Amino acid sequence: MSWGTELWDQFDNLEKHTQWGIEVLEKYIKFVKERAEIEINYAKQLRNLSKKYQTKKNSKEEEESKYTSCKAFQTTLNETNDYAGQHEVISENMTSMIMAELTRFVQELKQERKSNFHEGRKAQQHMETCWKQLESSKRRFERDCKEADRAQQYFERMDADINVTKADVEKARQQAQIRHQMADDSKGDYSSVLQKFNHEQQEHYHTHIPAIFQKLQDMEEKRISRLGESLKSYAEIDRQVIPIIGKCLDGITKSAESINGKQDSQTVIESFKSGFEPPGDLDFEDFTQSMKRTVSDTSLTNTRADGKSDSKTPGKSRGKLWPFIKKNKHQPPPPPPASASPSAVPNGPQSPKQQKEPLSHRLNDFMTSKPKIHCFRSLKRGVSCALGATPEDFSNLPPEQRRKKLQQKVDELNKDIQKEIDQRDALTKMKDVYMKNPQMGDPSSVAQKLIEIGNNIEKLRIEAQKFEGWLAEVEGRLPSRNDGSRRQSALYETQNTAPSSPDGSYTEDQSQETEVKVTPTEFDDDFDDEEPLATIGTCKALYPFDGENEGTISVAEGEILSVIEEDKGDGWTRIRRNEEEEGYVPTSYIEVYLDKNAKGAKTYI
């Protein structure tokens, strides 16, 4: 089937059809372009989503990333990022393999179509010109024939008329001959033009137009084939990334299967294990001793050392401290403010709060709460824990966590030392090569660098020895789990071997080892914490005190409070507010009025 033979008279329709075919191709190109934009935007959103939930450096999430579930989630984010990359590949391939190619092809089609229809119009114009020439020659021949016929009739009338002169008849005869000659010439010209037109028309409809229409047919078929190939490429571009996307999904599945609950549980133990021993068994307190007293030793009411009678229950003699935290000496309190607004002066070291809670609450607190920050220890090293700084030796951490941090620091320093040693060895070999072959380089240029590396190695070794010393000290202090003979808390053991900071934590300050150790008798006597301490006087706050640290209490200037424990030389006085809230304040911040009748009252350090 050929357009040239079957559609020889459909020039205008073919022109419209080919234009429509190009518009279809341009519509498909636009579709692919929008699809590529969707893919690139989708990939961008996926990347942003993955980046949004990625673990940020130096954050709590970075610590949490050691769990298998968190690692699996991170793997999922990474695979999602790779998945987004495949959509970017789809967009790029569609842009380069379909859009760019088809755009060039459409331009070629438009140019080819324009050229073919230009030739077709030119052929049509030529046929119109030939037709006009034929019509003109035909009309002239017709006109000349009519003129010759009229001239012949006029001659015949003149020749039959006896009144006409012979000269007029001859003239009419000559005119008729001229007209007949012109008619013969027109006839010949018309015949020639007609033959030419028929030949041109034969060439037009059987040669030129079929050739042009065949080109248009080939162009249209090429357009349709190219569109089919592009659609196939469109599917193939997606199919090419399916294996990689499958690998991304397989990676997510594999990471999900790698989640191990028991391993995460073990990681929790390693992360939060303090190294302390659980509290030991409590000793039995015999409250029947009072019944064995003689009449001279007791009365209907209990008499305290100061002569006052105490009508409270005999078993609750006075407020006791938590048995696993010693009564500590306090660091010197901050000096009183020199100005009228002393609130600008930062708070000094804190003292422990002695909350009056049931023993079960104290035990629950001890088992569930995180270790306190040992702020008083930092005074030795010039680091203030109250300001949030971390001690260099990680002394603010429990023993087990401190050991892990120190071990990690030692490993890092050893790696740095090994790196410096490798660099030194490489430079030493370079120096030897330079000494043997001076033309390769100057040995003195390496000597200065070797000296710097040697100094760095020495500094790193000193630093490593320092941390190794702290590590050995911590490892020596960690209690043994297999020692069944000692069932006391690790905190209590630490207090018996090292001075304590006011919050009950261990400390390395050997200058405080003069503190009196707690004996079992004192331990038993101080175990009961139900009875609040007796009031021994009152005090007036001279300056405001924030009381932000552990064991302290905030006071306002001019506030009147009860004194329950006077200063024992450490610069702190224990006070109470409303029979419920109590704590320590610097003695220099208050004016104390002791009750004369309460001078003999029992106080605690």
Side-chain angles (χ1 to χ4, degrees), residues 53-74 260 263-265 267-268 271-272 370 405:
Y53 288 94
Q54 285 286 352
T55 300
K56 298 177 177 60
K57 293 183 178 180
N58 302 323
S59 66
K60 184 180 178 182
E61 294 178 357
E62 191 174 17
E63 288 291 327
E64 295 173 351
S65 62
K66 56 192 172 185
Y67 299 104
T68 58
S69 57
C70 295
K71 290 179 181 178
F73 180 54
Q74 288 300 317
N260 189 326
Q263 182 178 342
D264 283 358
S265 298
T267 304
V268 172
S271 299
F272 301 111
K370 295 182 179 179
K405 285 289 186 181

Side-chain angles (χ1 to χ4, degrees), residues 476-528:
R477 285 190 178 190
L478 284 175
S480 175
R481 280 286 189 183
N482 298 326
D483 188 4
S485 62
R486 300 181 64 190
R487 296 296 300 158
Q488 296 179 345
S489 71
L491 194 58
Y492 181 75
E493 292 174 0
T494 305
Q495 292 167 349
N496 285 334
T497 58
S500 301
S501 62
D503 59 354
S505 59
Y506 58 89
T507 179
E508 296 175 357
D509 194 348
Q510 301 300 324
S511 64
Q512 297 182 7
E513 289 187 354
T514 57
E515 185 173 27
V516 179
K517 297 179 180 178
V518 178
T519 63
T521 303
E522 292 175 353
F523 184 91
D524 292 340
D525 290 342
D526 291 348
F527 188 80
D528 191 312

Side-chain angles (χ1 to χ4, degrees), residues 334-432:
S339 63
S341 59
S343 59
V345 179
N347 294 341
Q350 71 271 18
S351 296
K353 288 184 179 179
Q354 302 296 334
Q355 299 292 344
K356 296 298 172 280
E357 299 175 355
L359 178 59
S360 61
H361 292 184
R362 292 288 183 87
L363 182 60
N364 185 59
D365 257 354
F366 176 75
M367 298 299 289
T368 59
S369 63
K370 295 182 179 179
K372 306 285 192 300
I373 297 177
H374 313 138
C375 297
F376 279 72
R377 172 204 321 280
S378 62
L379 293 177
K380 179 180 179 181
R381 301 180 180 87
V383 181
S384 174
C385 290
L387 298 177
T390 303
E392 185 183 11
D393 61 350
F394 305 108
S395 55
N396 60 314
L397 300 175
E400 181 65 23
Q401 300 301 318
R402 184 185 179 199
R403 182 193 65 77
K404 290 176 61 178
K405 285 289 186 181
L406 290 173
Q407 184 65 56
Q408 181 181 355
K409 187 67 176 179
V410 169
D411 293 342
E412 291 176 358
L413 290 172
N414 288 334
K415 287 181 181 179
D416 293 340
I417 291 173
Q418 187 60 43
K419 189 183 298 182
E420 294 288 339
I421 290 175
D422 294 341
Q423 187 176 359
R424 182 188 63 184
D425 295 342
L427 288 175
T428 302
K429 291 180 181 179
M430 185 183 296
K431 182 179 179 181
D432 294 340

Side-chain angles (χ1 to χ4, degrees), residues 59-190:
S59 66
K60 184 180 178 182
E61 294 178 357
E62 191 174 17
E63 288 291 327
E64 295 173 351
S65 62
K66 56 192 172 185
Y67 299 104
T68 58
S69 57
C70 295
K71 290 179 181 178
F73 180 54
Q74 288 300 317
T75 302
T76 301
L77 294 177
N78 295 334
E79 295 294 348
T80 302
N81 195 58
D82 295 341
Y83 182 87
Q86 299 311 307
H87 286 277
E88 291 176 345
V89 171
I90 292 176
S91 176
E92 292 172 1
N93 289 342
M94 285 186 175
T95 302
S96 61
M97 298 173 62
I98 297 180
M99 284 178 53
E101 294 294 331
L102 284 186
T103 301
R104 287 194 295 269
F105 180 68
V106 166
Q107 295 300 324
E108 294 173 359
L109 282 183
K110 288 181 177 180
Q111 189 65 31
E112 183 179 358
R113 176 180 175 277
K114 181 179 179 180
S115 175
N116 290 330
F117 279 104
H118 178 71
E119 290 183 11
R121 289 191 184 93
K122 188 176 179 181
Q124 284 183 335
Q125 289 175 359
H126 178 69
M127 285 304 300
E128 289 176 1
T129 302
C130 292
W131 174 256
K132 288 179 181 180
Q133 289 177 355
L134 177 63
E135 286 293 321
S136 176
S137 176
K138 180 180 177 181
R139 286 193 300 270
R140 186 169 60 253
F141 172 59
E142 181 182 7
R143 184 179 65 250
D144 289 344
C145 287
K146 289 180 179 180
E147 291 292 334
D149 186 53
R150 284 195 297 268
Q152 183 64 31
Q153 291 177 3
Y154 178 73
F155 167 69
E156 290 177 354
R157 285 197 308 268
M158 292 293 290
D159 187 43
D161 191 356
I162 58 174
N163 297 320
V164 179
T165 63
K166 187 177 181 179
D168 291 337
V169 172
E170 186 63 24
K171 184 178 178 181
R173 184 181 63 81
Q174 290 179 357
Q175 188 67 29
Q177 289 179 351
I178 292 173
R179 291 295 178 181
H180 279 289
Q181 185 63 38
M182 291 178 62
D184 290 339
D185 293 341
S186 298
K187 180 180 179 181
D189 185 58
Y190 170 66

Side-chain angles (χ1 to χ4, degrees), residues 525-574:
D525 290 342
D526 291 348
F527 188 80
D528 191 312
D529 197 36
E530 296 295 329
E531 180 68 20
L533 295 176
T535 301
I536 61 174
T538 59
C539 68
K540 178 181 180 182
L542 301 177
Y543 314 104
F545 181 68
D546 292 339
E548 295 178 350
N549 298 324
E550 183 70 23
T552 62
I553 184 174
S554 60
V555 296
E557 183 177 356
E559 187 177 2
I560 304 297
L561 304 106
S562 300
V563 178
I564 57 176
E565 186 177 302
E566 60 180 318
D567 187 356
K568 292 302 181 181
D570 56 4
W572 295 89
T573 301
R574 189 173 177 184

Side-chain angles (χ1 to χ4, degrees), residues 333 542 567 570-573 585-592:
L542 301 177
D567 187 356
D570 56 4
W572 295 89
T573 301
V585 295
T587 306
S588 57
Y589 276 57
I590 59 175
E591 185 176 357
V592 180

